[in-house]
Amino acid sequence: MPHAPREDTTSEQSIAAGAEDAGERLDRFLARRLAELSRSRLKQLIEAGHVSAGGATLSDPSHRVKPGQIFRLAVPAVAAAKPEAQAIDLSVVYEDQDLIVIDKPAGMVVHPAPGNPDGTLVNALIAHCGDSLSGIGGERRPGIVHRLDKDTSGLIVAAKNDFAHHALAADFAQRRIERRYQAVVWGCPVPREGEIEGAIGRHPVNRKRMAVVKRGGKAALTRYRVLRVLGPGASLVECRLATGRTHQIRVHLAAAGYPLLGDRVYGRETAERRSRIGAVGREALAGLARQALHAGSLGFLHPRTKAPLRFESPLPNDIHNLIKALEIKGD
């Protein structure tokens, strides 16, 4: 089987079709022969005119392969990433040729966007990974397959090449990724273990917020269990995502009546709730600059070796200190 070309320089290679390949779509045939390039990337290359046979350019990914055909694939050099590389300290939990797992601090945005054009995790990964990024969709950048809110801390995985990006994205889509979060919420959920289900979409009035909606949203399911009751006013809850919608945990817990402490968007910090956590708890909450949510566990199969990988991240100091304060009795 031929080896896939590296995408750091323009390269060409020939792939011959055998009798067993007759009638197969061109993009599927090439994806089977070139494991390092995803089918979607190969489809892009075909449509851009980078595949030929018998001197004729082929631009239809659905072209049916004939035995004996020899296809020539020209892979262009990887374009420089549009986001700027920025040397930002990262807590690297795991890294190999295919992927990198980062323990993201609260306050860091994952991807450049209006209002946050730089200083993001993507900017930092481009600088950190350098030439080990072999291209996502023809651009030298990390493949982000899931995200964490700016003020949510914890584990996030990014792909370093097209092959890993395609495989991890498929695993996320098929819900084969294990993600566990720890949240400090107002009150204590009843029952103490269960599921919160409700489609999530844009809030009908405030378009900057998400909400559980009756129509137009995307199906969402969060499984939870209470880990610890933190005095009369709060509890530590573990959440497992069956889906990955924007602000899912924050929206679902708020809709169920147990919003996260420190969540200024969905939190509903009432005087009654504040009275139940005591003076020490209120002081700790005042010093919390974000929602009390941490992505503490991440598990998946390695896209290349299929070996099970599991990573754990301890609670950061701000949430740990909040929990200790909430457990102190007295007003």
Side-chain angles (χ1 to χ4, degrees):
M1 181 180 293
H3 295 286
R6 283 184 57 83
E7 291 196 60
D8 49 4
T9 58
T10 302
S11 60
E12 294 186 5
Q13 102 180 71
S14 298
I15 307 99
E20 70 279 7
D21 305 312
E24 189 170 17
R25 282 177 58 108
L26 178 58
D27 55 352
R28 289 179 180 169
F29 163 73
L30 293 176
R32 186 163 49 81
R33 292 295 191 91
L34 303 172
E36 293 299 320
L37 296 175
S38 69
R39 184 178 166 190
S40 60
R41 174 61 176 144
L42 286 163
K43 183 177 179 180
Q44 288 179 342
L45 292 171
I46 295 167
E47 292 175 340
H50 293 289
V51 177
S52 63
T57 298
L58 302 174
S59 58
D60 183 4
S62 66
H63 170 86
R64 297 297 172 176
V65 172
K66 298 177 182 178
Q69 277 189 304
I70 298 177
F71 299 95
R72 299 190 184 281
L73 171 66
V75 180
V78 176
K82 292 179 182 178
E84 178 186 354
Q86 294 179 304
I88 301 170
D89 288 340
L90 291 173
S91 176
V92 179
V93 177
Y94 175 86
E95 182 176 9
D96 62 21
Q97 64 175 344
D98 293 308
L99 57 89
I100 182 169
V101 177
I102 299 294
D103 196 343
K104 186 188 83 69
M108 174 178 272
V109 174
V110 170
H111 201 280
N116 295 103
D118 55 21
T120 70
L121 178 62
V122 167
N123 296 109
L125 286 173
I126 291 171
H128 172 86
C129 297
D131 290 341
S132 68
L133 293 174
S134 64
I136 306 294
E139 184 179 312
R140 195 181 298 281
R141 60 180 173 83
I144 302 299
V145 291
H146 68 125
R147 301 190 185 192
L148 297 177
D149 296 341
K150 174 184 177 181
D151 290 328
T152 297
S153 55
L155 298 168
I156 183 169
V157 59
K160 297 172 68 175
N161 54 53
D162 198 62
F163 168 79
H165 184 250
H166 180 73
L168 287 171
D171 282 348
F172 270 96
Q174 295 299 317
R175 305 179 184 180
R176 293 191 289 259
I177 306 291
E178 179 189 343
R179 289 173 288 171
R180 295 175 186 261
Y181 294 70
Q182 289 173 291
V184 182
V185 306
W186 292 105
C188 182
V190 178
R192 293 199 176 187
E193 183 170 353
E195 296 182 347
I196 305 172
E197 188 170 10
I200 292 177
R202 290 289 171 188
H203 192 283
V205 177
N206 186 347
R207 306 301 288 177
K208 293 184 178 181
R209 295 179 56 184
M210 308 302 289
V212 172
V213 295
K214 294 182 178 180
R215 61 182 63 181
K218 294 183 178 180
L221 174 64
T222 303
R223 298 185 175 94
Y224 73 89
R225 66 186 179 101
V226 176
L227 298 177
R228 214 150 89 214
V229 176
L230 306 174
S235 55
L236 177 63
V237 176
E238 178 188 81
C239 295
R240 291 179 292 132
L241 289 180
T243 54
R245 309 306 179 200
T246 302
H247 300 174
Q248 178 174 320
I249 291 173
R250 299 164 64 191
V251 171
H252 269 173
L253 286 172
Y258 309 100
L260 274 64
L261 272 71
D263 192 334
R264 290 163 177 78
V265 177
Y266 305 102
R268 299 201 299 273
E269 187 178 308
T270 66
E272 181 184 358
R273 283 174 172 154
R274 287 177 54 82
S275 70
R276 294 175 64 83
I277 62 173
V280 177
R282 289 193 292 273
E283 182 179 355
L285 178 59
L288 186 70
R290 48 96 168 216
Q291 66 264 7
L293 183 62
H294 179 67
S297 179
L298 178 65
F300 55 92
L301 297 181
H302 192 283
R304 189 177 303 276
T305 67
K306 302 305 178 185
L309 299 176
R310 184 179 176 85
F311 306 99
E312 302 285 343
S313 169
L315 282 170
N317 287 336
D318 58 350
I319 296 181
H320 177 72
N321 291 338
L322 174 66
I323 290 171
K324 288 177 60 179
L326 291 170
E327 290 180 316
I328 297 176
K329 296 182 180 179
D331 195 30

